Amino acid sequence: MSAPSESPADAGVRLAREHLRLVEAGRPDDAEALLAGLTDARELVFAGAGFTVLARRTGRTLPTAMRAQASTRQIRLGQLRDAHRGDVEGLRTWLREAAEELVTVTQLAEAARLRLGPPSSYGAPGAG
């Protein structure tokens, strides 16, 4: 009996995590090559959804003002995606921006954690 194959959504999250790992390791050219290897609109959409899932999940750990800013950027990214539905090059632009957003939100979350402690302390009296 073979193991079930990975769903397209799971593959998108896996790709997003791999991209983030490469960027964090100082290998931006390899991260870009990973994205450049996607040629089909469906692949691009599932990869972008993976970036969105991770960015939103990480964004929820940010302090309130940063979380609001991240949410606004996610709305703008959704509008960019919708404007390029069916256009592979436009979706590629959206994917790159979604990848950049994940990197940004991850860096902000780490900076907030170092400065303010764990997310549960954000907004607590005397925190920060």
Side-chain angles (χ1 to χ4, degrees):
M1 176 173 210
S2 64
S5 63
E6 183 177 49
S7 75
D10 290 340
V13 170
R14 182 184 46 74
L15 183 134
R17 284 188 175 125
E18 177 63 13
H19 181 275
L20 182 61
R21 186 189 68 73
L22 290 168
V23 169
E24 289 175 339
R27 297 170 52 196
D29 292 340
D30 292 336
E32 176 58 28
L34 185 66
L35 299 184
L38 302 175
T39 58
D40 177 80
R42 184 176 173 187
E43 289 177 313
L44 292 165
V45 168
F46 277 110
F51 284 110
T52 300
V53 164
L54 295 177
R56 286 184 184 261
R57 184 179 301 151
T58 303
R60 285 192 291 271
T61 70
L62 294 171
T64 305
M66 291 174 139
R67 187 172 53 245
Q69 291 171 343
S71 180
T72 299
R73 289 190 305 269
Q74 284 295 324
I75 290 169
R76 189 188 62 74
L77 284 169
Q79 292 168 339
L80 180 63
R81 178 203 59 223
D82 292 347
H84 294 290
R85 196 175 303 269
D87 170 19
V88 172
E89 285 310 310
L91 288 172
R92 191 175 302 288
T93 298
W94 162 68
L95 180 63
R96 286 188 179 102
E97 290 194 26
E100 289 174 19
E101 174 62 11
L102 175 57
V103 171
T104 299
V105 169
T106 301
Q107 291 170 344
L108 289 172
E110 180 61 16
R113 187 189 65 72
L114 290 173
R115 168 108 168 64
L116 304 173
S120 62
S121 68
Y122 301 164

